[in-house]
Structures are given as C-alpha cells and as structure tokens.
Amino acid sequence: MLTQIQQKILDGRLRVGDRLPSERELGEALGVSRNSVREALRVLESMGILSAQVGSGRDAGSTVAGRSTAALSNLLRLHMALSQFSLEDLVDVRIELERLAVVRAAAGADVGDLERLRALTRAMAEPGMDYERFHELDSEFHIALTRASDNALATDLMQALRDAVKGEMIAAFRRVRDWEVMVSTLTEEHLAILRAVEAGDGKEAAELVTQHIKGFYAAVGDAPE
C-alpha cells in the first residue's frame, strides 16, 4: 500500500490537498486488512506525505500533505548515518547551495526577507547566548537566506540538511575553545553576508558565505574533543 500511494503521487494522480478514501474503502480496494491500512497511513503521516484528521466529520481522514521537509530531513539523516558521508562532502554541498542562494537573494530579496535576516543577526548579538539557542538562530539565518532566493527546493534542501546535522552542530559548538569569540565572529560574518545581499552584490555575498562555511568547519575541526 505504501508503494501504491507513493506511485500515485509520483504519477500525478494524487496531489497536495487530495483526500484519500476511508480505511475500510482502501482495505477493500487493495485487498488488505484495516490494520494494515492503518499502519501504512501512520508511516506515510510520519514521513510528512499524509496529514490525518481524527473524528467522523467532513474534515476527518487522510489528505496528501505538502510537508516534504520533515521526510527529506529524516531520509538525509539516515543516509548520513549509513553512508558515512565525509565532512568534505557536506561542506561542498553547503557551499554550492548557499552560493546559489545568496546570489539569487542579492538579485531579488524582498523587504520582508531582509528584515527577517536583520532580526536574526540582532538576536545573535544578544549576550549570554547558549549553544542550542545560537544553533537555532544560526540555522534559521541560513534557511532564511535560502528562502530569500525564492527557490523552494533549495529552501527545503537547506532545512533538511540543517535538521539532519543538528546534533553534530551542537556538539561542535561545545568543543569550541572560546565560545564568546566564536559567537561574535559568526555573527559578524552573518552581518557581512547580509550587507552584501542588501547591496545587491551577489558575487561578494557568495565569496563571503564560502569563507564563512569553510572557516567554521576549519575552526571546529581544530577544536579539542
């Protein structure tokens, strides 16, 4: 059943917002028990493919959802665990994705995007920033940069990538020798990238984001365990 629903989505026969038949109807159509249907629906919901509403009213049942990021994050996390992707692979992908994002953002970010980025840099500069809070702001800054590029796929990929490495990023922050200096450095680098985007200088923004990413991984790679 999982394969059949996924194939219908791939074929375009099911789209976001479409409602699935009831569990009983699905079971009869596919020749499987309601328990099997229920379990398959639960898996698809956990993957972000379906959204379920309990009850018996008009809105009850399962509909095709557009929450692709959660599924992509989980898939990427599993691939990273099983395939042992190297740090170099991760850095290369981040650099290329973010270079594309800042070049496009510099060419057409709207006022709302820029204000969101400014607000994030102001929040990063607040005193007493702990590891998890800074990671949250740092992740949202990079995701917001990608969102400002007006490329939905790039935004989903960035969100998935950041979600997949969250634990490793926080662990890397904890290994930093001088946390306050690191926070200050990263915040200033974010500001420099933002200024280049605001100035419409995509080339400069791309160079700055490259230096920012390479510099961070070099710094945490040298930090003591």
Side-chain angles (χ1 to χ4, degrees), residues 94-116:
R94 271 205 63 189
I95 287 173
E96 292 308 314
L97 185 58
E98 296 205 45
R99 284 179 67 92
L100 166 69
V102 296
V103 167
R104 292 191 56 161
D110 64 31
V111 173
D113 290 327
L114 296 176
E115 181 50 43
R116 174 62 177 159

Side-chain angles (χ1 to χ4, degrees), residues 49-67:
I49 295 172
L50 297 181
S51 176
Q53 296 292 331
V54 298
S56 58
R58 185 178 59 183
D59 295 329
S62 297
T63 56
V64 180
R67 297 180 290 108

Side-chain angles (χ1 to χ4, degrees), residues 18 36 100 187:
D18 286 352
S36 296
L100 166 69
T187 301

